[in-house]
């Protein structure tokens, strides 16, 4: 699993956010939280996963690397992050995410 350069988050406590980042980098299980990723498979725009799901054997042995671009404590928060990411991209690029 790889982290994007700029991570979107709705987590207000820096210590909590940094702890979650550390868990992702180390590939360690954690108290449940949600991550927004680029598509793990070839279809879709953005995907939301409960972090511990991505630690399963199936995901660890995939050919491609999973890129995390957002972190939230709740599924609803992750949905809002997806909306924020799409809105920011459309404002910046004025077009589609991928050709």
């Amino acid at each position: 699993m790889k982290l994007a350069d700029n991570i979107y988050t709705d987590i207000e406590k820096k210590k909590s956010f940094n702890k979650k980042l550390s868990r992702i980098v180390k590939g360690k299980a954690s108290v449940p939280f949600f991550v927004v990723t680029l598509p793990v498979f070839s279809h879709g725009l953005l995907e939301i996963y409960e972090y511990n799901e991505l630690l399963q054997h199936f995901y660890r042995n995939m050919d491609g690397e999973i890129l995390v671009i957002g972190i939230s404590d709740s599924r609803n928060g992750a949905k809002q992050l997806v909306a924020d990411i799409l809105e920011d991209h459309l404002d910046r690029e004025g077009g589609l995410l991928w050709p």
Side-chain angles (χ1 to χ4, degrees):
M1 212 170 317
K2 183 178 174 186
L3 295 170
D5 292 336
N6 295 315
I7 302 285
Y8 283 78
T9 188
D10 60 355
I11 301 170
E12 295 179 9
K13 294 182 179 178
K14 188 168 181 84
K15 185 176 180 180
S16 176
F17 175 70
N18 288 336
K19 187 173 183 177
K20 287 172 176 57
L21 285 179
S22 174
R23 291 303 221 176
I24 292 171
V25 169
K26 293 177 182 176
K28 302 280 185 175
S30 178
V31 173
F33 64 92
F34 294 86
V35 294
V36 177
T37 69
L38 291 181
V40 173
F41 303 102
S42 60
H43 297 85
L45 293 174
L46 300 171
E47 297 175 347
I48 297 171
Y49 291 94
E50 195 274 314
Y51 167 69
N52 291 325
E53 179 181 344
L54 297 177
L55 298 178
Q56 294 179 17
H57 182 73
F58 174 80
Y59 292 103
R60 286 186 184 253
N61 292 329
M62 288 180 53
D63 289 336
E65 195 160 30
I66 298 171
L67 180 63
V68 175
I69 58 174
I71 299 173
S72 178
D73 283 328
S74 69
R75 183 173 297 279
N76 285 337
K79 289 177 184 178
Q80 185 59 51
L81 289 180
V82 168
D84 294 345
I85 292 166
L86 293 173
E87 186 176 317
D88 286 353
H89 180 80
L90 290 173
D91 287 346
R92 189 173 55 248
E93 302 296 327
L96 299 174
L97 290 174
W98 295 267

